[in-house]
Amino acid sequence: MDGMRGAEQALILRNQDETIPAAQNMRLPQQEKYIMTKPCEIEAIWILGALFRSFRQDGAPPGGVYLLEQVLPEGFSPPRHIHHNEDETFYMIEGEIEFLVGDEMVTIRPGDILVAPKGIAHTFLVTSPGGARMLTVTTEGEFESMARSAGRPAEYDGLPPRQEKPTPEQRAQLEAACRANAIEVVGPPLAMAV
């Protein structure tokens, strides 16, 4: 799929009365019956200077619901990437984040939801001084698996010690974890304006 299609493919819902671009090619998974999630294990992961809390049910099959809470410092930005098998839904809890979806920049704030469809290149940048917090929902578990593979168990419940840039080893580990989970790194992170 072409990762450079326009952001008209992204679905953006706001908590105000604003225009909502249509997600023309996005398809929600068809379920034959309801999905109910049982109590789950919460795993705290440090990855690239951020804290991810994975709300995971052991043995959850593909097609289930995977939820991660991301606690992100100001300036955090993952490399631009494409998820080939799963859409990502982001629900903003605190802070402000600029997303680049396709070739369009979109800012989300608390209460906003952004859906980045599979096959569309995207990244984001945390612009709020106090950092940001958001929920990420996927349905195949590849993003959650990548985070566990590329990160490490958090030593405490909070952000890890500040790190300006990932080491070459961390970048290689992230890229390998992405490849193993149908996520393709296609560009650099976004940079903060000076």
Side-chain angles (χ1 to χ4, degrees):
M1 297 197 137
D2 179 7
M4 295 304 290
R5 288 184 292 184
E8 67 276 2
Q9 302 298 317
L11 174 65
I12 304 149
L13 304 175
R14 298 217 183 263
N15 59 358
Q16 305 94 358
D17 292 329
E18 294 185 25
T19 303
I20 301 173
Q24 298 169 358
N25 294 331
M26 192 177 129
R27 301 285 183 263
L28 294 175
Q30 294 294 317
Q31 298 294 333
E32 293 182 18
K33 61 180 190 174
Y34 67 90
I35 297 174
M36 185 175 95
T37 303
K38 302 283 186 188
C40 55
E41 170 187 335
I42 301 173
E43 180 180 5
I45 303 161
W46 283 345
I47 178 169
L48 301 178
L51 170 67
F52 287 11
R53 291 185 188 103
S54 171
F55 296 82
R56 185 168 190 266
Q57 185 177 5
D58 285 336
V65 175
Y66 294 83
L67 175 68
L68 281 109
E69 176 188 19
Q70 296 185 45
V71 180
L72 310 165
E74 179 185 17
F76 181 88
S77 179
R80 189 171 178 155
H81 59 281
I82 300 170
H83 295 261
H84 290 287
N85 296 331
E86 61 187 357
D87 301 322
E88 274 187 296
T89 301
F90 302 95
Y91 174 75
M92 195 67 180
I93 299 171
E94 294 174 1
E96 185 172 291
I97 296 179
E98 290 184 12
F99 273 83
L100 175 61
V101 182
D103 59 3
E104 186 174 325
M105 290 294 284
V106 177
T107 300
I108 66 170
R109 295 173 184 89
D112 291 347
I113 297 171
L114 182 134
V115 179
K118 64 184 172 190
I120 304 291
H122 62 280
T123 185
F124 61 83
L125 175 67
V126 177
T127 56
S128 45
R133 195 164 63 101
M134 67 179 168
L135 298 177
T136 303
V137 179
T138 63
T139 57
E140 296 300 318
E142 293 167 338
F143 176 64
E144 188 261 353
S145 176
M146 179 282 303
R148 285 188 294 110
S149 297
R152 63 186 172 106
E155 296 173 17
Y156 50 86
D157 189 34
L159 290 172
R162 184 87 174 161
Q163 179 180 343
E164 290 303 314
K165 290 185 177 182
T167 66
E169 295 80 18
Q170 288 171 321
R171 280 196 306 271
Q173 184 178 5
L174 175 66
E175 289 175 8
C178 285
R179 278 192 305 276
N181 288 284
I183 302 169
E184 179 183 359
V185 175
V186 295
L190 294 176
M192 292 284 287
V194 181

